[in-house]
Amino acid sequence: MSNEEKFVGFTVQDNAKYQHCAIKEYGEEMVLKSNSTIIIDVINRLFIEFAQNMSEGLSAISKENGDLVAELYQVICENAFDCTLEDFSGIAYAYVKNPEFSKNINQFGEGVSQYICDAVQEFVSKHIR
């Protein structure tokens, strides 16, 4: 079964489920701006690509994953809020530490949330000054 078949992805309904927590953490303006289904589709595609890379044995800190992280960061900055690298790092840690985020992301494959978090931390460490 392909990753796409195993994981339906985030839906607008899923996004609404997490909206209250996100509003508390990042503010209502950012959350409302980020509810676009286009953004959800892009993030799902990126997470599928991370899962494929992981299943192919690529290191979380590979160039390929660095490119995916850069695209994820750009999507967040352009469509959600002006995300600092520190905030981006925190979001990635939430992928692992928040049980609901982790459960949803790990539908792509066991350990994908940690894999993405590791890739993001590598990206942040290379770009933070």
Side-chain angles (χ1 to χ4, degrees), residues 27-57:
E28 187 171 6
E29 181 180 345
M30 184 283 297
V31 173
L32 294 176
K33 188 176 177 184
S34 69
N35 280 340
S36 164
T37 57
I38 294 170
I39 298 167
I40 293 168
D41 289 345
V42 170
I43 291 173
N44 282 334
R45 178 187 54 78
L46 291 170
F47 285 4
I48 288 168
E49 290 183 40
F50 278 117
Q52 289 170 337
N53 288 348
M54 188 178 93
S55 70
E56 292 171 6

Side-chain angles (χ1 to χ4, degrees), residues 25-26 83-97 101 117 120-121 124:
E25 185 71 25
Y26 301 108
C83 184
T84 67
L85 288 169
E86 292 87 355
D87 288 340
F88 189 46
S89 172
I91 290 167
Y93 281 125
Y95 292 165
V96 176
K97 293 179 180 180
F101 289 159
C117 181
V120 169
Q121 301 316 317
V124 168

Side-chain angles (χ1 to χ4, degrees), residues 69 72 88-89 92 95 115-125:
V69 171
L72 178 61
F88 189 46
S89 172
Y95 292 165
Y115 185 80
I116 295 171
C117 181
D118 293 346
V120 169
Q121 301 316 317
E122 177 70 10
F123 176 88
V124 168
S125 72

Side-chain angles (χ1 to χ4, degrees), residues 1-7 44-59 62 64-65 68 105 107-112 115-116:
M1 181 183 302
S2 73
N3 285 321
E4 291 90 344
E5 292 168 327
K6 287 192 294 188
F7 184 78
N44 282 334
R45 178 187 54 78
L46 291 170
F47 285 4
I48 288 168
E49 290 183 40
F50 278 117
Q52 289 170 337
N53 288 348
M54 188 178 93
S55 70
E56 292 171 6
L58 284 176
S59 168
S62 69
E64 294 85 350
N65 284 324
L68 293 176
I105 293 168
Q107 290 181 68
F108 286 107
E110 189 59 38
V112 172
Y115 185 80
I116 295 171

Side-chain angles (χ1 to χ4, degrees), residues 72-86:
L72 178 61
Y73 184 60
Q74 181 179 359
V75 166
I76 291 170
C77 288
E78 290 178 357
N79 298 287
F81 68 108
D82 188 19
C83 184
T84 67
L85 288 169
E86 292 87 355

